[in-house]
Amino acid sequence: ANFYNGRGELTGTRPYSELRMRAQDVARRLARFPRGSRVALVAHTHVDFHVMFYACQYAALVPVPLPAAMHLGGRDAFIRHLRQMLGDCGAVAAFAPAEFIEFLREATADLSLQAAGTMEDFMALTPAADLPAPPAPHELAYLQYTSGSTRFPRGTMITQAAALSNLKAIFNHGFPLTPDDRFCSWLPYYHDMGLVGIVLGCVALQRSVDYLASRDFAMRPRLWLKLMSRNRGTVSFSPPFGYALCARRLRPSDTEGLDLSAWRVAGVGAEMIHAAWLQQFADALKPAEFDARAFLPCYGMAEATLAIEMGADAVDIGKTI
C-alpha cells in the first residue's frame, strides 16, 4: 500500500508482510478488551488505520470505521456526530490519527471509554503474551455505518463470512483480474466502497494500491489522474460525481503527459449514475487514451456488505458510453 499527499508525493509505503506484523503487535495491546468489543476508528486515509483495523481482527474485536470529514456545521457538528456514533456502537476504545485526535478527545470527553488516542497511546498499553483464538465465520468482522442520507446512520453488522463471500464474488464474478492489476483510490475508508472494495480487497488479493486522501482529491482531482498515469493504474472506482468533478476541472492542456491507456476498470456506483457525466469524462480524457469501455457500473449497499450487481445490467448506460 502506497500513500500520497496533496502534492502527489509518496509519503509512505507499507508492504503487507509488515502490515501483518505491525497489526499483530498492536493486537496484543488490544487483547485486554473482551472478545467482540467495538473499537471505533476515525477512518482517515492513513497507514495507521490499516494497522488498527487488522489489529482488531487479530484481537477478535469489532472495528467501527467513523467519518473523517467535516461537512455542514463545521467542527462542533463533527464532534457531536462522532460522540453520537461512539455512543451508538458502544465502543470500549477509540483511535484517531494525529490530524483528528483533538476532535476525538473532545468527542470522548464525557464518555467512559477504556482507551482513546493515537497509535502511540495504544502502543503504550501493556501487551498480552498471546493473541486470542481467531474470529469464527459467524462472528462480526466490522460494523459499517450507512451513509445517513435519509436518517441518522445505522450500524450494519458484517460477519467474517459475509465480508469474505462478497469479496470472493466481486473479484471472481464482478470483473476479471489480471496478474498486472494495480489499484488506485481516493475513496474514504468509512464508506463501504472504499473499505471493502479497496482496503479489504487489495489485502485479500495482495495487490498494490495507491492511496490519495479524499480531501486532497476534492481539492485537486487531477492528482487522481496523474497517479493513474504515473503508476500505470489499471483499476479505480468512484461515485459519478468524482468523474464529473474531474471533467469540470480539466483544461485541454491538462491531458498533456497523461497516459490512461492502462486503466481498464473504471468502476462507478454509490449514487445515481448520470451517463452524461461519464460521457464528459470520457470525452475530456480521450486525448490521454482513456477508453470509455472501462466504465463498470455497480450497484450495492452497506447492508449487503458492498456489491449487489456489477456490469452492463446494473444500469442502462451501455449504448450511451
Side-chain angles (χ1 to χ4, degrees):
N2 309 295
F3 298 85
Y4 290 83
N5 63 20
R7 294 183 295 276
E9 301 166 339
L10 181 65
T11 58
T13 185
R14 181 62 60 91
Y16 292 132
S17 58
E18 184 180 329
L19 172 61
R20 178 177 182 269
M21 290 186 292
R22 179 73 166 160
Q24 289 178 330
D25 191 20
V26 176
R28 293 184 178 90
R29 270 80 177 171
L30 302 180
R32 63 180 56 228
F33 304 122
R35 189 182 187 90
S37 296
R38 272 68 161 170
V39 179
L41 311 177
V42 176
H44 182 46
T45 305
H46 192 283
V47 65
D48 284 351
F49 173 85
H50 295 242
V51 173
M52 289 297 296
F53 187 93
Y54 288 106
C56 288
Q57 305 300 320
Y58 284 114
L61 303 175
V62 181
V64 186
L66 301 183
M70 285 184 284
H71 301 295
L72 295 177
R75 176 190 178 91
D76 291 343
F78 178 58
I79 292 171
R80 286 196 303 271
H81 190 61
L82 285 181
R83 185 182 296 117
Q84 283 181 290
M85 298 181 86
L86 286 163
D88 183 71
C89 73
V92 301
F95 157 83
E99 296 92 328
F100 286 84
I101 192 58
E102 292 307 318
F103 301 115
L104 182 65
R105 294 200 192 286
E106 288 192 43
T108 59
D110 55 354
L111 300 178
S112 56
L113 271 65
Q114 297 182 41
T118 62
M119 180 63 73
E120 289 70 25
D121 296 317
F122 280 92
M123 286 302 293
L125 299 175
T126 303
D130 300 302
L131 292 173
H138 70 274
E139 291 186 276
L140 295 186
Y142 59 91
L143 196 150
Q144 172 73 61
Y145 273 96
T146 57
S147 61
S149 56
T150 58
R151 54 177 291 182
F152 185 80
R154 293 163 292 170
T156 302
M157 296 183 289
I158 307 297
T159 65
Q160 297 283 341
L164 290 175
S165 177
N166 205 234
L167 286 171
K168 180 179 179 181
I170 292 169
F171 297 112
N172 281 278
H173 305 294
F175 63 91
L177 289 167
T178 72
D180 298 324
D181 275 332
R182 183 187 183 106
F183 288 65
C184 182
S185 179
W186 56 265
L187 299 172
Y189 291 172
Y190 53 87
H191 188 273
D192 52 334
M193 188 156 67
L195 177 66
V196 182
I198 307 298
V199 175
L200 304 189
C202 287
V203 170
L205 298 169
Q206 296 287 284
R207 300 301 174 98
S208 292
V209 55
D210 301 312
Y211 287 111
L212 178 69
S214 303
R215 181 177 56 186
D216 292 329
F217 164 76
M219 295 178 66
R220 300 182 63 190
R222 285 168 289 182
L223 278 177
W224 179 31
L225 308 179
K226 290 181 179 179
L227 288 178
M228 290 293 291
S229 174
R230 182 196 314 169
N231 298 335
R232 303 294 291 166
T234 65
V235 180
S236 194
F237 281 68
S238 171
F241 83 82
Y243 294 105
L245 181 61
C246 279
R248 286 198 301 268
R249 297 278 187 88
L250 280 173
R251 300 182 299 267
S253 60
D254 291 332
T255 59
E256 297 176 7
L258 289 180
D259 179 0
L260 301 177
S261 59
W263 195 348
R264 65 179 200 85
V265 178
V268 53
E271 61 185 28
M272 183 180 292
I273 297 176
H274 299 281
W277 293 2
L278 304 187
Q279 189 68 62
Q280 291 166 4
F281 181 87
D283 290 343
L285 273 302
K286 187 174 182 179
E289 297 189 62
F290 176 79
D291 188 342
R293 291 174 297 180
F295 283 126
L296 178 70
C298 310
Y299 171 71
M301 57 185 182
E303 292 86 344
T305 304
L306 174 59
I308 294 175
E309 188 172 9
M310 304 173 73
D313 292 336
V315 65
D316 187 15
I317 66 170
K319 294 183 180 180
T320 306
I321 300 300

